[in-house]
Amino acid sequence: MGNDPQQPADDLRLFHTGEHPCGYWEDRTARDLVLDPRDPRLASFYPVALSWGFRRSGDLVYRPHCEGCRACVAVRIPVMEFRPDRSQRRCAARNAEVEARIVPAERTDEHLALYRRYLAARHRDGGMDDHGAVEFEQFLVGSWSQGRFLELREHGKLIAVAVTDITPEAFSAVYTFFDPNLEKRSLGTLAILRQLEWAKREARRHLYLGYWIQGHRKMDYKRRFQPLEAFDGRNWNRAQLTD
């Protein structure tokens, strides 16, 4: 693609990973397509890779590509068209005193402590519950991303962090972790609402939400953000997602 990161690169290499346990279904295996992590142009490719249905994890830019399974559907919200539904408005009202702060994507002791508490409660024995400072840096920060941390604080106390990637036309919601004792406050939903407000202020066209998976309880919340667009492997279309 020469020097234009908005056009496909003839020499951009893609790799298939080997099979590994599926992170969503215990009885399935998974494979991914991964952009060459050693390519020094990866940061410039990333914005268009998002539009191809890819996602970032640390320094890896990947897309599920499993044999016989297409359950993972990349979804995004058109920022200017979004209107919160009744449940989302209640969530915003219930958390009206929560303050949002945008800070550099840099680990602090406070971030790490909250992250470890979240993993211990939500991902016990899932392979992530022993994450420490090194894993935090590798998974959430990486070496080249142009990300920020959206902190949610209540009376000064950190209660959630939404790791957000910033590109010229879009934001990408990379990962959110929150105080597990406040699960009933719907802080994951609140984080997306605040990311949407932020994206609107910055005149971004889309907020990417990663993958929606039909029938997966932890992914169901994504289809409640309307309108929603889904990637079919070639194009983005207005999504009609069902249970």
Side-chain angles (χ1 to χ4, degrees):
M1 77 191 206
N3 294 321
D4 184 356
Q6 298 304 314
Q7 298 298 325
D10 293 337
D11 58 348
L12 175 59
R13 297 194 296 173
L14 286 169
F15 297 98
H16 247 136
T17 69
E19 289 194 347
H20 55 85
C22 176
Y24 303 107
W25 303 109
E26 293 182 358
D27 59 343
R28 302 184 191 181
T29 58
R31 296 181 73 187
D32 300 310
L33 279 177
V34 179
L35 298 184
D36 184 356
R38 295 165 298 185
D39 195 311
R41 303 164 299 170
L42 195 57
S44 65
F45 291 152
Y46 180 53
V48 73
L50 282 172
S51 72
W52 295 341
F54 282 76
R55 185 155 178 78
R56 182 181 72 84
S57 176
D59 285 341
L60 292 180
V61 179
Y62 74 96
R63 186 172 81 186
H65 194 76
C66 308
E67 185 174 354
C69 180
R70 294 293 181 267
C72 294
V73 178
V75 292
R76 68 186 186 185
I77 304 168
V79 171
M80 298 302 177
E81 299 177 53
F82 170 73
R83 298 294 182 273
D85 63 16
R86 181 180 300 177
S87 175
Q88 291 158 352
R89 291 195 298 270
R90 286 200 300 265
C91 174
R94 186 164 60 247
N95 294 288
E97 294 188 3
V98 174
E99 179 185 5
R101 300 180 185 176
I102 301 163
V103 301
E106 298 173 353
R107 172 184 53 82
T108 67
D109 291 344
E110 189 180 27
H111 294 148
L112 181 59
L114 181 62
Y115 178 64
R116 289 178 58 85
R117 287 180 56 212
Y118 174 81
L119 292 182
R122 298 288 292 258
H123 296 283
R124 184 176 297 278
D125 300 322
M128 295 176 66
D129 46 326
D130 61 346
H131 276 200
V134 172
E135 291 81 7
F136 183 103
E137 295 281 350
Q138 291 174 339
F139 175 43
L140 299 178
V141 180
S143 64
W144 55 260
S145 71
Q146 301 296 315
R148 298 289 187 275
F149 287 173
L150 177 69
E151 295 182 342
L152 299 181
R153 293 181 177 271
E154 188 169 48
H155 308 303
K157 179 184 177 183
L158 183 69
I159 61 173
V161 175
V163 182
T164 310
D165 280 350
I166 300 172
T167 74
E169 294 195 355
F171 285 178
S172 179
V174 175
Y175 195 77
T176 298
F177 55 95
F178 54 81
D179 186 337
N181 293 329
L182 301 177
E183 186 170 4
K184 294 183 179 179
R185 297 274 296 276
S186 301
L187 295 178
T189 293
L190 179 66
I192 295 176
L193 293 174
R194 296 297 178 86
Q195 284 172 308
L196 283 164
E197 292 173 0
W198 176 20
K200 190 171 184 178
R201 291 195 304 270
E202 299 292 331
R204 293 315 198 268
R205 295 179 60 188
H206 298 103
L207 174 64
Y208 288 86
L209 295 184
Y211 302 109
W212 172 81
I213 302 173
Q214 184 174 13
H216 198 288
R217 179 179 57 84
K218 290 185 178 180
M219 295 294 172
D220 189 62
Y221 73 93
K222 295 182 181 181
R223 68 185 179 91
R224 299 183 189 137
F225 289 86
Q226 294 292 329
L228 193 67
E229 297 175 350
F231 188 63
D232 65 8
R234 291 181 178 272
N235 299 296
W236 290 90
N237 304 291
R238 194 57 55 93
Q240 301 294 328
L241 306 179
T242 59
D243 292 331

